Amino acid sequence: MTNQAEARISLEIAAEQDTVKLAQWLARRAGAGTVLALDGDLGAGKTRFSQAFAAAIGVRDAVNSPTFTIIKEYTSSQLPFYHMDVYRLSLEEADELGLDDYFYGEGATIVEWASIIEPLLPQQRLELYIEHLGGEARRYVLTGLGEPYAGWCRQLEQERGREGCS
């Protein structure tokens, strides 16, 4: 990325409640056009993070992995939520879905397995790589590409030194 703000932070969390706190922290900053690109091994916690984020923006419906439906749309008290799982798609198949309508639309989007469609993602996004460390422990590596996402990473780094992500 040339001439674009970029920031990265690595967080180790001990329990599921910390995943929820991180999702809530990010949800408070989300708005129309927010794109969170999730990656990590099977069972790392991508869907659990998505559920916590959805709840934090006011989605009342059950949020499940859209593995076979590819995209699920939800209404919330704050803004529409688009949850994608592109694990079973090729880049060409994903390109035919009109993803820009979601990425640049009125809602917030989470894409699970986002690296599969990396060329189709907006240049400005927040990438979250989740690594399962055993039990409930996880390592989150957040990379903010462009603003406001790089700023979110810098702010999270500052707050982490004071009180964590709550």
Side-chain angles (χ1 to χ4, degrees):
M1 306 261 135
T2 58
N3 298 327
Q4 180 170 299
E6 182 175 332
R8 178 173 291 161
I9 180 173
S10 179
L11 304 171
E12 288 194 18
I13 62 170
E16 183 179 339
Q17 68 190 27
D18 298 321
T19 289
V20 172
K21 287 180 183 179
L22 176 60
Q24 290 170 338
W25 191 93
L26 292 169
R28 286 193 298 272
R29 287 149 182 81
T34 295
V35 176
L36 305 182
L38 275 59
D39 275 294
D41 292 332
L42 283 170
K46 294 177 292 297
T47 299
R48 180 63 190 109
F49 175 88
S50 299
Q51 291 167 334
F53 182 90
I57 63 169
V59 172
R60 301 243 184 265
D61 297 326
V63 173
N64 299 307
S65 178
T67 301
F68 295 102
T69 56
I70 312 301
I71 302 170
K72 288 187 178 178
E73 299 180 25
Y74 299 91
T75 56
S76 80
S77 59
Q78 295 179 28
L79 69 160
F81 174 59
Y82 311 123
H83 186 202
M84 302 178 185
D85 184 327
V86 298
Y87 182 74
R88 299 184 182 280
L89 293 181
S90 69
L91 186 59
E92 294 75 26
E93 290 168 327
D95 194 27
E96 295 173 5
L97 292 177
L99 299 178
D100 284 353
D101 293 341
Y102 295 98
F103 297 151
Y104 301 103
E106 296 298 315
T109 303
I110 288 184
V111 182
E112 294 188 28
W113 302 100
S115 61
I116 292 171
I117 64 163
E118 196 277 333
L120 302 177
L121 295 171
Q123 283 191 329
Q124 296 185 348
R125 62 186 181 269
L126 182 65
E127 297 180 344
L128 294 93
Y129 184 83
I130 308 170
E131 181 182 357
H132 189 207
L133 300 177
E136 292 185 8
R138 304 286 189 272
R139 176 179 297 116
Y140 281 82
V141 177
L142 287 72
T143 305
L145 301 175
E147 296 299 340
Y149 309 108
W152 294 359
C153 290
R154 290 188 295 271
Q155 184 180 3
L156 188 55
E157 181 71 52
Q158 290 173 348
E159 290 182 20
R160 185 174 73 149
R162 293 192 306 262
E163 60 182 292
C165 344
S166 54

